[in-house]
């Protein structure tokens, strides 16, 4: 019934000739009927692309697709809107990677909740920027309420605050920035980094993070003037969690060498294994050494909503700051992420008042200007997506999705563990499983040759999308499950194909 409606409306002629006048294309009441027709045609196209996506990717090579893209002359517009759409279809939609497809099991990309897609439409149309009250109005309050809600989920009290960011990378940068500032305040209290840049003592600052933590920690250290060498990679245990004993030893050793440990970054959901560091224990070590405690829950943050697995994040309430990606485990479209801080005072390190944008007097007048807490100035109103998702679904359903994904990961682990062709490295705490094709009786070839070849074959056929990783120099494959609609039957099919490909490649090598 609904589909029939869309089809009917979309067959209406779209009669704005391209190239009339600039005002004909403004998003304003006069042009809304044209927009509406265009919107329905676009939606029909997306619908067709998603229905037709029998596999997650076409497998096209970048070289072949580039030829098509390069042929398009941007100097002159297309002859009609239909032409624009068919161009988009052929270079983008037919060759996009579809995260809603059950055979997409590669990276940390989730299928999205459609209430969030509806929100995208609204927020882009209004084009709010949530930097200042006078560019956003109500949007600022919506974002702030979601930030407060997230802080409550973390177990933070009313001293906490936060901000939406572009992603975990930016959130981690903010976390490391606050760690650096706290250390300067402690070890060099007369110094103000904002005005004077880094003090000499900053060359002694050290950040401790597990060897499996996200590379954005290193990136942040470099951007903050501390350098890659300030990041000390701590060994992980058999469960791929930061080893607390190794951590304590590394801190002591650093101190012996006259270095200054300033921060522990715990990962709640490593990108490769989904392993969650022992937050309670690491928090205690951080407190003992007066270090900043940041928790990178970019991946694992979704557990906050799970009744069954929330306890796996126990200790996160002790964090000084937290990174959380709604675009990973809250079914949100890119981008949607947050940085949360247990004590809002720390945001003063990034506040800069400008006469034109957010003068200090406005703060006294009670106008909330979120730019005071953000690295960005003009900023998307991504919060509306999470807002509409929560208002339509409620947090419990999102949590149920997480429960289903974790249950699926366990079934998948059992499948691989009992399969004679595979070796599995981790019993998944979240939904990432690292494994490799390594059957007994391989001749003339090794798993290290076969596994990268298997992954390349999938990338070139597009029939399923799987990830790869390396463990101590050896090549592995990886599944990351974030789709609550994926079933074990889907995964059985993918595993079966990996096995078939593996054996076929082995025969080729003979
Ligand atoms: C994905 C990820 C990040 C980076 O987040 P983006 O949103 O991609 O910038 C950081 N940390 C962890 C553990 C991640 O999985």
């Amino acid at each position: 019934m609904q589909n029939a409606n869309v089809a009917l409306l979309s067959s209406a002629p779209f009669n704005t000739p391209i190239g009339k006048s600039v005002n004909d294309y403004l998003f304003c009441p006069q042009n809304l009927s044209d927009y509406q027709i265009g919107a329905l045609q676009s939606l029909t196209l997306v619908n067709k692309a998603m229905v037709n996506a029998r596999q997650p990717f076409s497998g096209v090579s970048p070289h072949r697709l580039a030829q098509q893209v390069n042929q398009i002359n941007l100097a002159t517009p297309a002859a009609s809107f239909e032409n624009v759409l068919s161009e988009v279809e052929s270079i983008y939609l037919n060759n996009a990677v579809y995260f809603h497809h059950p055979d997409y099991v590669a990276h940390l990309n989730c299928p999205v909740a459609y209430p969030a897609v509806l929100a995208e439409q609204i927020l882009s149309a209004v084009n709010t920027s949530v930097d200042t009250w006078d560019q956003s109005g109500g949007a600022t309050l919506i974002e702030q309420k979601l930030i407060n809600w997230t802080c409550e989920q973390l177990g933070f009290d009313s001293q906490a605050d936060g901000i939406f960011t572009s992603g975990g990378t930016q959130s981690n940068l903010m976390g490391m920035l606050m760690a650096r500032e706290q250390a300067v305040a402690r070890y060099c209290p007369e110094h103000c980094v904002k005005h004077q840049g880094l003090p000499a003592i900053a060359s002694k600052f050290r950040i401790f993070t597990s060897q499996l933590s996200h590379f954005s920690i290193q990136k942040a250290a470099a951007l903050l003037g501390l350098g890659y060498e300030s990041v000390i990679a701590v060994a992980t245990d058999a469960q791929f969690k930061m080893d607390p004993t190794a951590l304590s030893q590394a801190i002591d050793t650093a101190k012996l060498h006259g270095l200054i440990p300033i921060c522990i970054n715990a990962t709640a959901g490593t990108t490769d294994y989904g392993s969650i560091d022992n937050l309670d224990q690491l928090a205690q070590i951080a407190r003992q050494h007066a270090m900043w405690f940041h928790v990178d829950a970019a991946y694992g943050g979704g557990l906050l909503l799970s009744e069954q697995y929330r306890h796996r994040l126990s200790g996160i309430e002790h964090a000084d700051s937290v990174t959380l990606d709604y675009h990973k485990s809250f079914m949100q479209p890119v981008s949607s992420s947050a940085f949360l801080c247990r004590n809002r005072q720390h945001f003063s390190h990034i506040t800069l008042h400008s006469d034109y944008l957010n003068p200090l007097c406005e703060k006294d007048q009670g106008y909330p200007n979120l730019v005071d807490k953000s690295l960005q100035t003009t900023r998307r109103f991504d919060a509306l997506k999470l807002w509409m998702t929560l208002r339509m679904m409620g947090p419990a359903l999102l949590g149920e999705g997480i429960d289903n994904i974790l249950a699926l990961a366990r079934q998948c682990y059992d499948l691989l563990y009992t399969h004679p062709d595979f070796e599995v490295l981790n019993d998944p705490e979240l939904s990432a499983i690292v494994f490799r094709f390594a059957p007994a009786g391989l001749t003339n070839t090794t798993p290290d040759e076969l596994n990268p070849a298997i992954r390349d074959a999938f990338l070139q056929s597009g029939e399923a999308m799987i990830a790869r990783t390396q463990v101590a120099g050896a090549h592995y494959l990886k599944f990351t499950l974030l789709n609550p609609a994926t079933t074990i039957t889907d995964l059985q099919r993918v595993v079966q194909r990996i096995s078939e490909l593996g054996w076929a490649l082995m025969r080729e090598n003979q």
Side-chain angles (χ1 to χ4, degrees), residues 215-473:
F215 76 106
S216 53
I217 298 296
Q218 270 90 341
K219 217 177 195 177
L223 288 171
L224 292 168
L226 303 176
Y228 291 151
E229 283 175 20
S230 70
V231 180
I232 296 185
V234 179
T236 45
D237 63 16
Q239 270 80 50
F240 307 97
K241 299 163 185 276
M242 185 164 12
D243 178 352
T245 311
L247 171 65
S248 291
Q249 279 168 358
I251 291 172
D252 291 343
T253 307
K255 282 184 165 174
L256 271 178
H257 287 98
L259 301 170
I260 305 173
I262 64 162
C263 176
I264 295 173
N265 169 59
T267 312
T270 57
T271 313
D272 265 355
Y273 302 96
S275 46
I276 301 171
D277 289 344
N278 186 328
L279 304 180
D280 274 313
Q281 227 173 337
L282 301 190
Q284 215 178 340
I285 298 173
R287 201 173 307 126
Q288 196 184 327
H289 296 278
M291 295 161 80
W292 187 267
F293 184 47
H294 179 71
V295 176
D296 178 358
Y299 175 12
L303 293 193
L304 290 173
L305 304 183
S306 156
E307 223 171 279
Q308 232 177 315
Y309 302 104
R310 168 66 177 85
H311 66 274
R312 292 191 179 170
L313 293 180
S314 143
I316 201 167
E317 67 279 7
H318 302 308
D320 291 301
S321 57
V322 173
T323 288
L324 202 151
D325 268 358
Y326 306 112
H327 62 216
K328 282 186 182 156
S329 51
F330 284 67
M331 293 168 68
Q332 295 300 295
V334 176
S335 59
S336 182
S337 178
F339 173 74
L340 300 313
C341 201
R342 191 151 51 88
N343 183 342
R344 63 160 54 91
Q345 279 179 358
H346 295 284
F347 279 102
S348 67
H349 298 309
I350 55 167
T351 306
L352 199 148
H353 291 285
S354 135
D355 290 337
Y356 88 94
L357 194 63
N358 58 337
L360 194 53
C361 64
E362 278 205 349
K363 197 176 171 127
D364 303 333
Q365 291 166 344
Y367 288 112
N369 291 325
L370 297 182
V371 69
D372 293 352
K373 298 184 282 183
S374 177
L375 300 183
Q376 295 166 261
T377 307
T378 305
R379 193 162 55 86
R380 282 171 57 81
F381 179 30
D382 287 315
L384 187 65
K385 298 181 286 189
L386 181 60
W387 181 270
M388 283 181 58
T389 305
L390 283 176
R391 297 307 294 141
M392 286 176 77
M393 296 171 66
L397 272 192
L398 285 175
E400 206 180 291
I402 294 288
D403 291 348
N404 295 348
I405 290 162
L406 266 64
L408 177 70
R410 173 128 294 281
Q411 285 180 297
C412 182
Y413 170 77
D414 291 339
L415 169 69
L416 288 164
Y417 186 81
T418 53
H419 199 301
D421 290 350
F422 296 99
E423 259 175 40
V424 200
L425 271 196
N426 69 312
D427 186 346
E429 199 169 13
L430 289 175
S431 62
I433 305 172
V434 179
F435 62 98
R436 65 175 180 171
F437 178 74
L442 282 187
T443 47
N444 291 333
T445 184
T446 64
D448 269 341
E449 286 170 341
L450 288 176
N451 286 281
I454 291 171
R455 189 264 176 184
D456 287 351
F458 276 107
L459 185 62
Q460 282 154 26
S461 75
E463 62 174 309
M465 295 296 274
I466 60 178
R468 59 169 163 202
T469 190
Q470 286 195 26
V471 183

Side-chain angles (χ1 to χ4, degrees), residues 146-201:
L146 285 172
I147 286 294
N148 297 347
W149 174 81
T150 306
C151 288
E152 271 170 44
Q153 305 305 313
L154 289 169
F156 285 175
D157 64 21
S158 60
Q159 291 303 302
D161 202 355
I163 189 83
F164 271 66
T165 66
S166 58
T169 303
Q170 188 185 136
S171 297
N172 281 345
L173 175 63
M174 293 180 81
M176 295 308 106
L177 173 79
M178 297 208 173
R180 185 192 73 182
E181 292 304 309
Q182 176 183 258
V184 172
R186 186 180 172 85
Y187 298 105
C188 202
E190 305 299 311
H191 193 93
C192 175
V193 179
K194 255 194 220 174
H195 289 274
Q196 300 161 280
L198 288 182
I201 200 173

